[in-house]
Amino acid sequence: MSAATPTYAGTAGAAARGKVGIWWFLASEVMLFGGLISSFVISRLGGSAHVEHDHLNVTVAAINTFILLSSSYTMVEAYAAAERGDRRGMRVFLGLTVLGGLAFLGIKAYEYTGEITHGFTPWAGTFWSFYYTMTGLHALHVLIGVIANATLCLGARLGLERPYRVELAGLYWHFVDIVWIFLFPLVYLS
Amino acid sequence: MSHASPTVTAVRGPHEATGFFRTYLYATDHKMIARQYLLLGLIMAVVGGYLSYAMRWQLAWPDTEVPGFGFVGPETYNVLVTNHGTIMVFFVAMPILLGSFGNFLIPLMIGARDMAFPRLNALSFWLLALGSAVVLVSFLVPGGAASAGWTGYPPLSAKAEYTGVDWGLTLWLLAHAIEFAAFLLGGVNFLTTIVTMRAPGLGFGRLPLIIWQQATAAILFLLSVGPLIAGAIMLLMDRIVGTGFFLPERGGEPLLWQHLFWFFGHPEVYVVLLPALGAVLEIFPVFSRKPIFGYTLVVWATIVAGALSFIVWAHHMFVSGMDPRLAMPFSITTILISVPFALAVFAMIASLYRGSIAFELPMLWALAFLAMFTTGGLTGIFLGSAPSDIYLNGTYFVVAHFHYTLISAVIFGGYAGIYYWFPKMFGRMLGTRLGQLHFWSTLVSFNVVFFPLHWIGIAGMVRRIANPLQYDMIAPHQWINVVSTVALFGLVASQLVFFVNFFVSQLRGRPAPANPWEATTLEWTTPSPPPHGNWGEALPVVGRGPYEYSVPGATRDWLPQRTGAAAAEARP
Amino acid sequence: MFLSWLPENVSTFGRDIDGIIALIYYITLAWFIATMGTFAVFLVRYRRRAGRPAGYIKGDRWREVAWVLLPCLLVLVLDLWIDFKGARVWAKVKIESPASDVHIRVTGKQFNWVVTYPGPDGRFDTADDKTFLDEMHVPAGKPVRLTLEAKDVIHSFFLPNLRLKQDILPGRSIPAWLDAMKPGQYELPCAHLCGVGHSGMKATLIVHEATDWDAWVGEQWSGSARPGEKT
């Protein structure tokens, strides 16, 4: 892939292409979570998914929310560092973002364990089915984000960094955060 | 023009791919990927056609041994009906009309060297190939392949005990998931390419219509498939984990699946239809030597139809048990969607007015598309009206209707495109003698297969039954089933003519000039087939709209979109 | 070409549905003839001939565009006509239901129709219920109220001769009604793929003449009150 960058009528360059691409991708992701969340809301309105958040650990989930939001902040800092050309800063903040994501997953696993040992399995009722499907799909997205960020972090160590990729990973990571901001009140609070 | 002196950087195209592995297996060149999609689509079409042969034989002569297949019976029949639909829609129509046409044409028609993300493009194709393999493998697992209909309505699809199919149905769902991922990534690629990589001078108002249609199709797919992926995850959970999203005895709601499925399902019809319509819209001006009538109107009609397609889904569910008060709003949106399509059809007919129409093969297919699609569109009104749908829903009238719309797109629109771009794609002309035979025999046999199915549907024959003779109302009309099946033999045979022509012409056909049809769009200014990187040293520069035919005062009856020195070389 | 294929209609609202189908048929037939006729004329008239160049008509001025926009407007008007006529028929069949003293529960299961009559006490799931397999009896000329249920998967209750179809979702009771005008025997197929036995899952609807119906009821409940009637 050694072709020189040609001049196009549209905006040129890999960064711009990547950004347009990721936005379209996120649009379809919005519809994926939108479909799942609306199904949940409709089921609740229809009365079939009784909310059982008494059995959820709201405190732990709130701490988890805080961790995930903080990791969005470190992601912003990573991009800012990449823009400045501050390789070390970029690596550090990417590393912190990865740690935040891993902590979120760990705590989520702890929550799942607690719930399952109390008998609230995915097949324990419609609410629980939705709970595990929605948070599980979200956790899968967090995991993918962690892998992407870790790849960028390791790549930076090997001198392969492309700053715009940090921006793309950041867009994705913020999206994953926003999904959680919808899920948290819907599942735990309302 | 703002592009008075475009920066045409002298670039060398990417290196020619070398070696078998780089050329065929890990190909990133959009033209090779387009050929791969085409081949995969044709292979899967053979499978889907084979299934329809066994199915139609069973319908004409129930419970007799099908030559070359074996005994069918009700169990196998459900497998056939399910997988025929799945394969034809997801593994034939989409690979050919989006995968192949989109990949081949988007970079060539917008003046790019490749897609925006060439490696992602290769990944899309190989995911689709994997999905196709999973569908085929599902026939071999214990319990057989999926048999809950192509729509896979739960609870039938949610529990193995209801169909007797266990792994087959799970694999069927998995194949869908892979296919969705493939076209989702493909759609991202299409849209990014169209937005960011148009040649200098190629504004949105100068895009060939098929690019608009491909872009709209990609957007429709991206925005509609999410909810169905969510539904597929839920159905998989029901089957594997034991949740009860769609199972009433566990507190679930079967109707939810139908909403998720059709929210996707109706836009999906246009995902298949629009690229075919686009191909036909490219062909009409070339063979009538006239600009397309109402370019802007057609673009708006496409966008409006695409937007409306998101609010019509419940017309598939008038009698599903949903609140009957919802029927009228959806009936109105559904019938409204006929307006933009009527506009497109009228614009196409108007494009012929005072034309100089040459009945060459691509044009024959395109004209047939218009006639078949109009028929399919009009029969749709019967189903879009809620009260007449009470009677016609679930009958063979529906089967006839959607074969007229989908086959007009896939067969007539698809062949129109294949016959038109074959010279560009393979560098040789497609034989016209066999082509004529193929066209006329397909046109006649297609209509004999499917038109009488309207009648038997109105007579009350319901879909997805393995043996029509079990019904006293239908038995007297059984001759229709026999006629339809016999005609299907003709339809299949005429496709064999195509296959022979397709492969023989690739090897022995007359070498194609760069622009055999004297067409205006950019792809005809490259050699046939285009080299790696498409444009040699300099990117093309676009100076005018896509359909400048018979411009008064011009020396020729066509003015290419491409302007500047390079355009002169591309004269035939 | 289409309408003559409809099976005989024997229900009251069936006439209205046939009316809508006929309306749509004539409208679409007229459109088919108009568009395909124009299409054919253009193909013949404007076929390529030496020395006759094509016109340069882009369709970007209002005077030209009117030629396609006005027909589209006509499409829209006819569409709305179909919808407004249809709305009344839809409401009659699916939303409103007439008062009825015969109440029947039909349960779809893989792969039979189970038809239950509440008996003299007018209530289901009591000792005087009578259940028939793949056989449904109704009186002619009287509205019949139906409660449709499904035991396992989705089935679809389809009476072609009565122009009535309703999918049945397991876990729900779906109301429907019919009023048969002509005594006789009619087929009742399942119209929704429901598994291996879907093909051939059908019942017989037997419409009795009024006197015949009383006799049939008397036979079933040995002289006691008619099914559905409150005691």
Side-chain angles (χ1 to χ4, degrees), chain C residues 102-123:
Chain C
V102 184
H103 188 186
I104 304 172
R105 183 172 72 193
V106 182
T107 307
K109 69 174 183 67
Q110 286 183 328
F111 299 98
N112 299 96
W113 294 111
V114 180
V115 182
T116 311
Y117 293 81
D121 68 351
R123 274 180 308 199

Short mmCIF file of all heavy atoms in Angstrom, two decimals, chain C residues 102-123:
data_model
loop_
_atom_site.label_atom_id
_atom_site.label_comp_id
_atom_site.label_asym_id
_atom_site.label_seq_id
_atom_site.Cartn_x
_atom_site.Cartn_y
_atom_site.Cartn_z
N VAL C 102 -73.40 -16.73 19.76
CA VAL C 102 -72.64 -17.97 19.59
C VAL C 102 -71.16 -17.62 19.78
O VAL C 102 -70.64 -16.73 19.11
CB VAL C 102 -72.85 -18.58 18.19
CG1 VAL C 102 -72.11 -19.90 18.08
CG2 VAL C 102 -74.32 -18.75 17.90
N HIS C 103 -70.52 -18.28 20.68
CA HIS C 103 -69.14 -17.99 20.99
C HIS C 103 -68.33 -19.29 20.89
O HIS C 103 -68.68 -20.29 21.49
CB HIS C 103 -69.05 -17.40 22.41
CG HIS C 103 -67.66 -16.90 22.73
ND1 HIS C 103 -67.33 -16.45 23.97
CD2 HIS C 103 -66.56 -16.76 21.97
CE1 HIS C 103 -66.06 -16.06 23.97
NE2 HIS C 103 -65.57 -16.26 22.77
N ILE C 104 -67.29 -19.23 20.10
CA ILE C 104 -66.50 -20.45 19.87
C ILE C 104 -65.04 -20.13 20.12
O ILE C 104 -64.56 -19.05 19.75
CB ILE C 104 -66.67 -20.95 18.41
CG1 ILE C 104 -68.15 -21.18 18.10
CG2 ILE C 104 -65.87 -22.21 18.18
CD1 ILE C 104 -68.41 -21.48 16.65
N ARG C 105 -64.34 -21.06 20.74
CA ARG C 105 -62.89 -20.89 20.91
C ARG C 105 -62.18 -21.85 19.97
O ARG C 105 -62.48 -23.05 19.97
CB ARG C 105 -62.49 -21.16 22.36
CG ARG C 105 -61.00 -20.93 22.58
CD ARG C 105 -60.64 -21.01 24.04
NE ARG C 105 -60.70 -22.39 24.50
CZ ARG C 105 -60.68 -22.74 25.78
NH1 ARG C 105 -60.62 -21.82 26.72
NH2 ARG C 105 -60.72 -24.01 26.13
N VAL C 106 -61.28 -21.30 19.19
CA VAL C 106 -60.52 -22.15 18.28
C VAL C 106 -59.06 -22.10 18.71
O VAL C 106 -58.47 -21.03 18.83
CB VAL C 106 -60.64 -21.66 16.82
CG1 VAL C 106 -59.88 -22.58 15.89
CG2 VAL C 106 -62.09 -21.56 16.41
N THR C 107 -58.50 -23.27 18.97
CA THR C 107 -57.11 -23.33 19.41
C THR C 107 -56.29 -24.04 18.34
O THR C 107 -56.60 -25.18 17.98
CB THR C 107 -56.99 -24.08 20.74
OG1 THR C 107 -57.89 -23.49 21.67
CG2 THR C 107 -55.58 -23.99 21.29
N GLY C 108 -55.26 -23.36 17.85
CA GLY C 108 -54.37 -24.01 16.91
C GLY C 108 -53.28 -24.71 17.66
O GLY C 108 -52.73 -24.18 18.63
N LYS C 109 -52.98 -25.93 17.26
CA LYS C 109 -51.83 -26.63 17.82
C LYS C 109 -51.18 -27.42 16.70
O LYS C 109 -51.81 -27.63 15.66
CB LYS C 109 -52.25 -27.55 18.98
CG LYS C 109 -53.07 -28.75 18.57
CD LYS C 109 -53.27 -29.63 19.76
CE LYS C 109 -54.02 -30.91 19.46
NZ LYS C 109 -53.33 -31.86 18.60
N GLN C 110 -49.94 -27.80 16.89
CA GLN C 110 -49.29 -28.62 15.87
C GLN C 110 -49.99 -29.97 15.83
O GLN C 110 -49.88 -30.73 16.78
CB GLN C 110 -47.81 -28.80 16.20
CG GLN C 110 -46.98 -27.52 15.94
CD GLN C 110 -45.50 -27.75 16.21
OE1 GLN C 110 -45.13 -28.54 17.08
NE2 GLN C 110 -44.64 -27.06 15.50
N PHE C 111 -50.75 -30.38 14.88
CA PHE C 111 -51.12 -29.74 13.65
C PHE C 111 -52.61 -29.91 13.45
O PHE C 111 -53.04 -30.55 12.50
CB PHE C 111 -50.33 -30.36 12.47
CG PHE C 111 -48.83 -30.17 12.66
CD1 PHE C 111 -48.06 -31.19 13.16
CD2 PHE C 111 -48.23 -28.95 12.37
CE1 PHE C 111 -46.70 -31.01 13.35
CE2 PHE C 111 -46.86 -28.78 12.56
CZ PHE C 111 -46.09 -29.81 13.06
N ASN C 112 -53.37 -29.39 14.40
CA ASN C 112 -54.82 -29.50 14.33
C ASN C 112 -55.49 -28.21 14.79
O ASN C 112 -54.88 -27.40 15.47
CB ASN C 112 -55.33 -30.62 15.26
CG ASN C 112 -54.79 -31.97 14.89
OD1 ASN C 112 -53.80 -32.42 15.45
ND2 ASN C 112 -55.42 -32.59 13.91
N TRP C 113 -56.74 -28.10 14.41
CA TRP C 113 -57.58 -27.05 14.97
C TRP C 113 -58.47 -27.69 16.02
O TRP C 113 -59.20 -28.62 15.74
CB TRP C 113 -58.45 -26.42 13.89
CG TRP C 113 -57.71 -25.66 12.84
CD1 TRP C 113 -57.57 -25.99 11.54
CD2 TRP C 113 -57.02 -24.41 13.02
NE1 TRP C 113 -56.83 -25.03 10.88
CE2 TRP C 113 -56.48 -24.05 11.76
CE3 TRP C 113 -56.81 -23.57 14.11
CZ2 TRP C 113 -55.74 -22.89 11.57
CZ3 TRP C 113 -56.08 -22.41 13.91
CH2 TRP C 113 -55.55 -22.08 12.65
N VAL C 114 -58.40 -27.17 17.25
CA VAL C 114 -59.26 -27.67 18.31
C VAL C 114 -60.37 -26.64 18.52
O VAL C 114 -60.11 -25.47 18.80
CB VAL C 114 -58.46 -27.85 19.62
CG1 VAL C 114 -59.37 -28.38 20.72
CG2 VAL C 114 -57.28 -28.77 19.39
N VAL C 115 -61.60 -27.08 18.29
CA VAL C 115 -62.73 -26.16 18.31
C VAL C 115 -63.57 -26.45 19.55
O VAL C 115 -64.05 -27.57 19.74
CB VAL C 115 -63.58 -26.34 17.04
CG1 VAL C 115 -64.73 -25.35 17.03
CG2 VAL C 115 -62.72 -26.18 15.80
N THR C 116 -63.71 -25.44 20.43
CA THR C 116 -64.38 -25.66 21.70
C THR C 116 -65.65 -24.81 21.78
O THR C 116 -65.63 -23.61 21.48
CB THR C 116 -63.45 -25.30 22.87
OG1 THR C 116 -62.20 -25.94 22.66
CG2 THR C 116 -64.04 -25.75 24.20
N TYR C 117 -66.76 -25.46 22.22
CA TYR C 117 -68.01 -24.75 22.46
C TYR C 117 -68.23 -24.68 23.96
O TYR C 117 -67.99 -25.66 24.66
CB TYR C 117 -69.17 -25.49 21.80
CG TYR C 117 -69.08 -25.46 20.29
CD1 TYR C 117 -68.24 -26.34 19.61
CD2 TYR C 117 -69.81 -24.54 19.56
CE1 TYR C 117 -68.14 -26.31 18.23
CE2 TYR C 117 -69.72 -24.50 18.17
CZ TYR C 117 -68.88 -25.38 17.52
OH TYR C 117 -68.78 -25.34 16.16
N PRO C 118 -68.69 -23.54 24.48
CA PRO C 118 -68.79 -23.40 25.93
C PRO C 118 -69.96 -24.18 26.53
O PRO C 118 -70.00 -24.34 27.75
CB PRO C 118 -68.99 -21.90 26.12
CG PRO C 118 -69.55 -21.41 24.83
CD PRO C 118 -69.01 -22.31 23.77
N GLY C 119 -70.89 -24.63 25.70
CA GLY C 119 -72.02 -25.38 26.26
C GLY C 119 -73.07 -24.44 26.85
O GLY C 119 -72.95 -23.22 26.77
N PRO C 120 -74.09 -25.02 27.43
CA PRO C 120 -75.24 -24.22 27.92
C PRO C 120 -74.84 -23.15 28.93
O PRO C 120 -75.50 -22.12 29.01
CB PRO C 120 -76.15 -25.27 28.57
CG PRO C 120 -75.75 -26.56 27.96
CD PRO C 120 -74.31 -26.46 27.62
N ASP C 121 -73.80 -23.35 29.70
CA ASP C 121 -73.48 -22.35 30.73
C ASP C 121 -72.76 -21.14 30.15
O ASP C 121 -72.53 -20.15 30.85
CB ASP C 121 -72.65 -22.97 31.86
CG ASP C 121 -71.26 -23.38 31.39
OD1 ASP C 121 -71.02 -23.34 30.16
OD2 ASP C 121 -70.43 -23.74 32.24
N GLY C 122 -72.40 -21.20 28.87
CA GLY C 122 -71.80 -20.04 28.23
C GLY C 122 -70.38 -19.77 28.66
O GLY C 122 -69.83 -18.73 28.33
N ARG C 123 -69.78 -20.66 29.41
CA ARG C 123 -68.41 -20.41 29.86
C ARG C 123 -67.48 -21.52 29.40
O ARG C 123 -67.88 -22.70 29.41
CB ARG C 123 -68.37 -20.28 31.38
CG ARG C 123 -68.69 -18.86 31.82
CD ARG C 123 -68.63 -18.76 33.30
NE ARG C 123 -69.45 -19.80 33.90
CZ ARG C 123 -69.89 -19.76 35.16
NH1 ARG C 123 -69.57 -18.77 35.93
NH2 ARG C 123 -70.63 -20.74 35.64
#
